[in-house]
Amino acid sequence: MRTLLLSVSFVVGAVSVVIPRETAAQRVEAYVSEDTVSVGDRFNLTLVALHGFDEIPSFPSLDSTLGDIIPVNLISAGTRQIDANLRIDSAVYEVTTFALDTAQLAPVTIGFRNDSVLVSTDPLMVFVASLVAQDADTIRAMAPPVDFSRPIWPFVLLGLVAVIIGILVWYLIRKKRQSEPDSLPPLELDDSPSPSAIALERLRALENTPLTTRSQVEAFYVELSDTLRTYIEHQLRIPALESTTQELVQRLIHPKIQHKVPSGIPQQLDQILSLSDLVKFADVTPSIPEGRQALEESLTVIKRVEAKFDQREASEKLIPTD
């Protein structure tokens, strides 16, 4: 098709030879690449301008109105010298139309000499093929909507989100429970000795224990540790016997337990129980004075905790009840 357009350009150039050189009259032509198109088809529009050598034609821009023809893109533009006085310029556009039956190309105006001279092409008609079948009597009714199967991925995604939220809630509840100190059920009242009385009796029994051999030292610290842990578990209602030394200390400084324990008690218990752990598990053998000092500090721990409990009980009795 471009070859045909170039041939047309050459014909225009040949015809222009008969035009006097001194006048160099302008002449413009328009050609389409298709005689018949469908609605929305793309085809080419070629504009050819014959003019004087020193003149520059002003072709339409892409936003120009060309009747029923709509410019889409500028494919190419070129120029060809005929002789010393004449020149041919051309521009090829990609165009389309949405007209029905026929599309009219309005006269296209091309300016020369800074648009002081305007020359227009002849109008063109392009046939637009019908999209309706030739044997159709009436317009067909709209087809019913297609029933697409409902996708299951949104339900799968919602299920996964629900599972993740459930796991997160379970984790937060479990973490909160772990951060709280475990508490034992309250003791039933009976005539048995108090936890402090039992602990003090066991500690006083250790006062006369010899600490000359390794087995005596180990038995001493095992009894000392068990006595303190048993007392703490029964009096403060926390699982001291099954806790490590560090776990027990952390429970004692927890806000829910801390107010029941005198200041400095967790640190004293940490020193006594850590020394007992070294004797039991690391084969450390403290001196006899260290053993006696650990026993005295154990007695002090129990007495201070008991004093704290007596003070709390006295304060509770002063609070009036309804």
Side-chain angles (χ1 to χ4, degrees), residues 156-167:
V156 175
L157 182 60
L158 289 175
L160 290 176
V161 171
V163 171
I164 293 174
I165 293 176
I167 294 175

Side-chain angles (χ1 to χ4, degrees), residues 6-304:
L6 291 176
S7 300
V8 173
S9 300
F10 295 154
V11 172
V12 173
V15 173
S16 65
V17 175
V18 300
I19 301 176
R21 298 292 187 270
E22 59 274 8
T23 60
Q26 298 84 10
R27 180 177 177 182
V28 294
E29 297 287 345
Y31 306 93
V32 290
S33 60
E34 303 291 340
D35 295 331
T36 302
V37 297
S38 297
V39 175
D41 280 354
R42 300 287 181 94
F43 56 101
N44 294 344
L45 168 65
T46 301
L47 299 179
V48 180
L50 176 69
H51 54 89
F53 182 81
D54 295 332
E55 295 175 336
I56 300 176
S58 177
F59 289 106
S61 62
L62 292 178
D63 56 356
S64 301
T65 301
L66 304 179
D68 297 328
I69 306 300
I70 303 173
V72 177
N73 187 26
L74 178 62
I75 298 177
S76 64
T79 183
R80 181 174 181 272
Q81 183 177 350
I82 302 300
D83 55 25
N85 297 313
L86 292 176
R87 195 175 69 189
I88 278 186
D89 283 84
S90 63
V92 181
Y93 299 84
E94 183 182 21
V95 296
T96 187
T97 183
F98 296 97
L100 300 178
D101 297 331
T102 58
Q104 183 177 15
L105 173 66
V108 180
T109 301
I110 300 176
F112 298 90
R113 301 176 188 174
N114 295 326
D115 291 340
S116 61
V117 177
L118 301 177
V119 182
S120 299
T121 65
D122 295 330
L124 289 178
M125 297 293 291
V126 178
F127 292 101
V128 181
S130 175
L131 299 179
V132 181
Q134 296 181 356
D135 57 350
D137 297 331
T138 58
I139 299 176
R140 296 182 181 179
M142 295 181 61
V146 179
D147 186 15
F148 293 98
S149 59
R150 181 173 296 180
I152 63 173
W153 66 264
F155 302 98
V156 175
L157 182 60
L158 289 175
L160 290 176
V161 171
V163 171
I164 293 174
I165 293 176
I167 294 175
L168 182 61
V169 171
W170 171 83
Y171 172 77
L172 294 176
I173 294 176
R174 183 172 180 270
K175 185 176 181 180
K176 182 178 180 181
R177 289 179 177 177
Q178 288 180 346
S179 63
E180 297 179 353
D182 298 332
S183 58
L184 299 176
L187 291 174
E188 296 181 0
L189 298 177
D190 54 18
D191 296 333
S192 60
S194 65
S196 61
I198 297 175
L200 292 174
E201 183 179 355
R202 293 177 63 180
L203 291 179
R204 291 192 180 98
L206 293 176
E207 292 178 350
N208 299 322
T209 302
L211 300 175
T212 55
T213 64
R214 168 64 190 172
S215 59
Q216 292 173 342
V217 172
E218 185 174 357
F220 174 85
Y221 280 97
V222 168
E223 177 65 13
L224 184 67
S225 175
D226 185 73
T227 300
L228 287 174
R229 289 176 180 274
T230 302
Y231 168 74
I232 294 298
E233 181 166 309
H234 290 167
Q235 187 65 287
L236 301 180
R237 312 309 303 155
I238 58 176
L241 290 171
E242 61 186 33
S243 302
T244 65
T245 299
Q246 293 303 317
E247 291 174 347
L248 178 57
V249 172
Q250 292 299 319
R251 287 189 169 97
L252 291 175
I253 63 177
H254 193 277
K256 290 189 176 181
I257 302 296
Q258 189 177 20
H259 67 281
K260 300 180 181 180
V261 181
S263 61
I265 291 299
Q267 291 74 18
Q268 281 186 284
L269 277 173
D270 188 14
Q271 294 178 357
I272 299 170
L273 297 179
S274 295
L275 180 59
S276 300
D277 292 339
L278 291 174
V279 174
K280 291 186 290 183
F281 304 114
D283 293 335
V284 174
T285 304
S287 63
I288 294 177
E290 289 178 318
R292 300 308 175 191
Q293 182 180 358
L295 178 59
E296 291 299 325
E297 290 182 357
S298 301
L299 290 168
T300 301
V301 167
I302 295 176
K303 291 177 181 178
R304 290 189 62 197

